[in-house]
Amino acid sequence: MKTLNALKLRIMTRAFRIRLAAGENFEDIAADYPALTMDDLEAIKSALGIEVK
């Protein structure tokens, strides 16, 4: 299970990174993935180096 979570984090981080580079903002991207929890979003922000509020 831990591996699946790490894999999910890597995949989602890459997807967010690509979309951020294309000019989208984090909140709009997150809205496209309603299954992500707040913890998931915080982990993605951390992986991307975005300050977690």
Side-chain angles (χ1 to χ4, degrees):
M1 187 85 145
K2 185 175 181 180
T3 304
L4 181 61
N5 288 336
L7 178 61
K8 177 182 174 183
L9 177 61
R10 285 193 351 228
I11 292 168
M12 293 311 299
T13 300
R14 183 172 181 188
F16 272 69
R17 185 177 290 123
I18 290 167
R19 292 181 67 178
L20 286 168
E24 295 183 62
N25 68 35
F26 191 90
E27 291 75 22
D28 290 341
I29 301 168
D32 288 340
Y33 300 101
L36 293 175
T37 65
M38 291 305 293
D39 289 338
D40 293 336
L41 293 172
E42 288 178 9
I44 293 168
K45 281 184 176 182
S46 179
L48 291 170
I50 299 172
E51 185 176 323
V52 178
K53 295 178 184 177

